[in-house]
Amino acid sequence: MKYAFYPGCSLEVNAAAYDVSVRAVARVLGVELVELDDWNCCGATEYFSQDELTACAVIARNLALVEPSMNQLTAPCAACFLNLKKVDRLMAEHPDLGGKINEALAAGGLHYDPGRVRVRHLLEVIHTDVGEEAIKAKVVRPLTGLRVAPYYGCQVVRPYKDVDDPEYPVKMDELFRWLGAEVVDYPVKSHCCGGHMTQISEPEAFELIRRLLQSALEYDTDVIACLCPMCQLNMDAYQSRVNGMFNTSFHIPVLYFTQLLGLALGVPEKDLGFGKEIVSAGPVIHAKLAAC
Amino acid sequence: MSSTTRARKREWVDEVIAETPNGHRLRHCIQCGTCGGSCPNGAEMDYTPRAVFNLIVAGQKDKVLSSNTMWQCVSCYFCTARCPHQIPITDIMYTLKRMAIREGYGRTSDAPALAKAFTHYVDKYGRSFEMGLASRYHLLNRPLAAMKMGGMGFNMFKRGRMALTPSRIRQIDQLQAIIRKARQLGGAS
């Protein structure tokens, strides 16, 4: 299994734990990730707020950089994934816009034919392409007893509805069941973490984060597993400030799903970016998994 | 040519539709309110999307562009996924953000400044740059909030989650040529 790999800016620094754990689990699962050479930022939600055509062209450069020998591109970040997928779809459905995007790409000597690259989120690659049988066969340290709340957020499951159910996604739930974890039926698993709102207006942003943490607490969650750097940052790095605003005492570790997958596959913790989270996951992981 | 068949004057709603892929669906809004009811920030909005669509059709440009509605949109796409008439609501919110910035509205929110600072680094380095954003956006626009974020920034830095220097792509000239061409084609400056 070979995929072009678009890490995205967050994975370089703030989501470095996602980066190392993605690469580690890919090696164990036999997924070959070929990093896109000289990829550029997807513009997140910010570029679309300013200039649609330029936003699309900036994103399309990455699609155009996928080597002709490859036809699948995977991204671990929800926002990067959606932007890449959206531009491919927009170009296919709106030839006028597609033509202009290609005219812009031509200024850099590039071209992209919509549909040439299939954009996949990393969760699809692991859950669907690698699949249950191969994953179960490689579990050496089951996550028995660990209560994991799978959190999907928004942009992997919406607006396009072909990755998973847009309201009640289940792929990460299934994955954690294969790993032996106790999966929390997390009611807010596809609700919003506030995205960039933490940077704009804290009362609104912190209320959205509070709802996610409160629900996790009510369901006796040991750890929240997420698949997006923004979600992780908001729930983890802002957790103490959310506590300050609402007089709460949340202390819930938030990890990338690949860190927990890596543990189950027997990858040493030090190779999975543990310890980079602000709310430390070490104590609960060691307490719950000590017997294994 | 009959003198009674005059070309309909291009209205604001036509501009919103023209700037939004599949924007024509806007005319199919049945005012059901599923959008506002699905929105995590609906309660904070001056007008929920349903009301905004009515105002757009009614040509109430000033009211819409000076409202906080689009700046409260966090692009979660719940409204878009649930709309029974397939209106690309989130994309219409992007269109309204662009129009508001272009026409000098949008001073009611820090969102335009964030978008501007963010894209500045993409254009310059080809990658986003969080430390740069922190100084360029937070210190300039909201110094008080920046101070509160200082402790968090330090925690991130300690754990190797914040870099002091930007990452850059090799072929920045190529990216910038693409950006220049796109701006020219889009009629933006």
Side-chain angles (χ1 to χ4, degrees), chain B:
Chain B
M1 274 265 182
S2 153
S3 59
T4 54
T5 57
R6 285 173 301 173
R8 193 169 64 84
K9 190 170 151 273
R10 191 178 157 93
E11 293 167 355
W12 186 48
V13 59
D14 301 311
E15 289 173 36
V16 174
I17 288 172
E19 253 201 63
T20 315
N22 301 319
H24 66 277
R25 301 294 317 171
L26 164 58
R27 294 201 183 274
H28 296 265
C29 177
I30 54 169
Q31 294 289 306
C32 69
T34 302
C35 44
S38 304
C39 180
N41 276 339
E44 314 295 332
M45 288 176 168
D46 291 338
Y47 311 104
T48 58
R50 174 196 68 78
V52 160
F53 298 152
N54 237 358
L55 289 167
I56 291 173
V57 172
Q60 298 286 312
K61 180 176 172 179
D62 188 65
K63 224 173 204 175
V64 171
L65 293 187
S66 57
S67 79
N68 74 352
T69 296
M70 54 278 187
W71 306 118
Q72 289 291 336
C73 172
V74 284
S75 305
C76 77
Y77 292 91
F78 252 122
C79 54
T80 303
R82 287 179 176 175
C83 175
H85 276 275
Q86 293 84 46
I87 302 172
I89 302 173
T90 310
D91 290 341
I92 292 172
M93 292 300 148
Y94 278 125
T95 296
L96 296 176
K97 288 174 190 177
R98 291 192 295 271
M99 286 180 157
I101 292 175
R102 218 164 49 217
E103 308 204 14
Y105 293 88
R107 292 191 192 92
T108 51
S109 169
D110 283 334
L114 177 67
K116 202 173 162 195
F118 190 97
T119 52
H120 165 83
Y121 288 111
V122 179
D123 293 354
K124 191 170 176 185
Y125 301 123
R127 299 267 164 97
S128 73
F129 178 35
E130 282 161 12
M131 193 68 196
L133 257 191
S135 51
R136 195 180 175 88
Y137 164 70
H138 287 290
L139 285 177
L140 284 178
N141 292 282
R142 42 213 304 281
L144 269 176
M147 279 168 63
K148 279 193 253 165
M149 288 179 79
M152 190 191 103
F154 181 67
N155 275 334
M156 296 286 284
F157 185 74
K158 264 197 322 202
R159 287 170 176 78
R161 293 179 64 178
M162 187 86 110
L164 295 176
T165 50
S167 166
R168 301 155 193 262
I169 66 170
R170 284 195 322 276
Q171 302 176 83
I172 188 67
D173 293 348
Q174 179 192 51
L175 177 66
Q176 288 173 348
I178 292 169
I179 290 171
R180 268 195 306 277
K181 186 68 183 174
R183 294 229 165 108
Q184 185 196 334
L185 289 167
S189 55

Side-chain angles (χ1 to χ4, degrees), chain A residues 81-92:
Chain A
F81 160 76
L82 176 59
N83 276 347
L84 293 160
K85 180 164 175 153
K86 187 172 180 176
V87 168
D88 178 56
R89 293 278 182 98
L90 285 176
M91 290 180 79

Side-chain angles (χ1 to χ4, degrees), chain A residues 39-146:
Chain A
W39 55 271
N40 59 263
C41 175
C42 78
T45 55
E46 309 304 332
Y47 228 124
F48 275 103
S49 307
Q50 301 228 103
D51 176 347
E52 183 180 55
L53 179 58
T54 309
C56 288
V58 164
I59 294 162
R61 176 177 177 270
N62 297 301
L63 295 168
L65 289 176
V66 177
E67 286 174 34
S69 65
M70 287 198 270
N71 58 11
Q72 296 204 71
L73 172 66
T74 186
C77 166
C80 302
F81 160 76
L82 176 59
N83 276 347
L84 293 160
K85 180 164 175 153
K86 187 172 180 176
V87 168
D88 178 56
R89 293 278 182 98
L90 285 176
M91 290 180 79
E93 291 167 11
H94 303 275
D96 282 5
L97 179 62
K100 283 185 189 168
I101 292 168
N102 263 323
E103 218 180 305
L105 287 178
L110 296 173
H111 179 84
Y112 179 69
D113 291 317
R116 182 174 81 74
V117 174
R118 192 172 165 213
V119 179
R120 315 280 306 284
H121 187 265
L122 184 77
L123 177 64
E124 298 179 87
V125 169
I126 290 173
H127 170 279
T128 310
D129 296 4
V130 177
E132 178 175 1
E133 209 178 317
I135 291 172
K136 277 182 168 172
K138 291 199 163 130
V139 173
V140 297
R141 189 187 181 193
L143 305 179
T144 314
L146 189 69

Side-chain angles (χ1 to χ4, degrees), chain A residues 120-256:
Chain A
R120 315 280 306 284
H121 187 265
L122 184 77
L123 177 64
E124 298 179 87
V125 169
I126 290 173
H127 170 279
T128 310
D129 296 4
V130 177
E132 178 175 1
E133 209 178 317
I135 291 172
K136 277 182 168 172
K138 291 199 163 130
V139 173
V140 297
R141 189 187 181 193
L143 305 179
T144 314
L146 189 69
R147 285 185 60 79
V148 179
Y151 175 67
Y152 300 77
C154 307
Q155 299 195 342
V156 169
V157 295
R158 291 182 301 274
Y160 303 114
K161 303 176 182 177
D162 56 349
V163 173
D164 207 328
D165 189 279
E167 308 252 356
Y168 190 78
V170 296
K171 286 191 171 153
M172 215 191 328
D173 295 54
E174 289 174 357
L175 173 65
F176 281 113
R177 249 173 246 129
W178 303 340
L179 304 179
E182 264 183 49
V183 179
V184 173
D185 190 8
Y186 191 35
V188 292
K189 61 185 174 182
S190 69
H191 287 207
C192 182
C193 75
H196 74 177
M197 195 56 91
T198 43
Q199 311 296 304
I200 294 164
S201 182
E202 286 172 357
E204 284 101 318
F206 287 8
E207 167 58 18
L208 297 185
I209 299 169
R210 186 197 66 77
R211 292 176 199 170
L212 302 177
L213 296 171
Q214 181 62 36
S215 179
L217 182 72
E218 283 165 9
Y219 281 75
D220 204 12
T221 299
D222 290 328
V223 54
I224 297 172
C226 63
L227 43 63
C228 169
M230 186 94 246
C231 304
Q232 201 281 340
L233 182 77
N234 282 350
M235 290 191 287
D236 177 36
Y238 287 94
Q239 199 170 124
S240 69
R241 301 217 24 230
V242 168
N243 282 332
M245 182 172 282
F246 297 103
N247 202 18
T248 46
S249 51
F250 298 121
H251 189 82
I252 306 173
V254 185
L255 294 173
Y256 297 104

